[in-house]
Amino acid sequence: MIKKIALLCLFIISVSHANSIIVSLHGTDDAKINFGTLTFKDSPYGLMITPHLTQLPPGAHGFHLHEHPSCDTHGMAAGGHFDPGKTNSHQGPYRTGHLGDLPVLFIGPDGQANTPLLAPKITTKQLKNLTVMLHHGGDNYTDTPTLGGGGARIACGVIQ
């Protein structure tokens, strides 16, 4: 009986890690700068994103999935926000609009981010060959100003 329970626990642990994706986040101006990692994992409520980031500017930052798997040209090669439904609408992670909108990422005064985020409209199956991007400045989840007011692309990671 104990052996069966142990095998069941190993199976549950294996399944829980099966849908995890870990992405390194690097500087868009200097790819040698490694800010840490993001772990993407499916949950019953959507995509759980757990940051393990350091050395970033404190405050709120726009956080998105971009359509091309590249961080070249200061992050511009990543293209626009991931929008497979062609909604052309920036409404945030909780309303109808493109799927590239992730919750705003808050960086603490110490330059670190460790608080998990939830993006309810997307799963790990949709992430392959996209880029995750951190923008300078916040995001108001509207199209005014353009793309919610997020600024320059400061950190980037390609999702394999």
Side-chain angles (χ1 to χ4, degrees):
M1 181 64 156
I2 291 175
K3 188 174 181 180
K4 287 182 181 179
I5 292 172
L7 286 173
L8 179 61
C9 288
L10 283 174
F11 175 75
I12 291 170
I13 291 168
S14 296
V15 170
S16 69
H17 291 292
N19 288 333
S20 290
I21 298 171
I22 298 173
V23 177
S24 293
L25 207 62
H26 297 273
T28 55
D29 290 334
D30 183 353
K32 293 178 186 173
I33 298 173
N34 185 343
F35 293 114
T37 62
L38 298 162
T39 301
F40 296 93
K41 184 176 179 182
D42 291 321
S43 83
Y45 309 103
L47 185 67
M48 181 67 68
I49 306 163
T50 305
H52 301 284
L53 302 173
T54 61
Q55 302 175 25
L56 286 161
H61 293 273
F63 191 43
H64 305 101
L65 295 170
H66 286 251
E67 61 188 339
H68 303 300
S70 176
C71 293
D72 292 341
T73 321
H74 305 286
M76 297 308 291
H81 292 179
F82 178 56
D83 189 13
K86 307 288 185 224
T87 66
N88 296 316
S89 181
H90 180 74
Q91 296 185 31
Y94 312 109
R95 298 185 342 223
T96 305
H98 57 70
L99 292 180
D101 288 337
L102 299 176
V104 169
L105 182 65
F106 289 93
I107 308 297
D110 59 357
Q112 296 186 30
N114 297 299
T115 303
L117 308 166
L118 183 66
K121 299 185 308 184
I122 194 162
T123 67
T124 55
K125 289 180 183 179
Q126 297 165 291
L127 298 179
K128 187 173 181 166
N129 293 322
L130 298 178
T131 295
V132 62
M133 190 74 64
L134 186 68
H135 295 265
H136 182 74
D139 184 342
N140 68 9
Y141 303 141
T142 69
D143 288 320
T144 307
T146 304
L147 299 177
R153 299 171 184 201
I154 61 172
C156 182
V158 173
I159 305 169
Q160 301 295 325

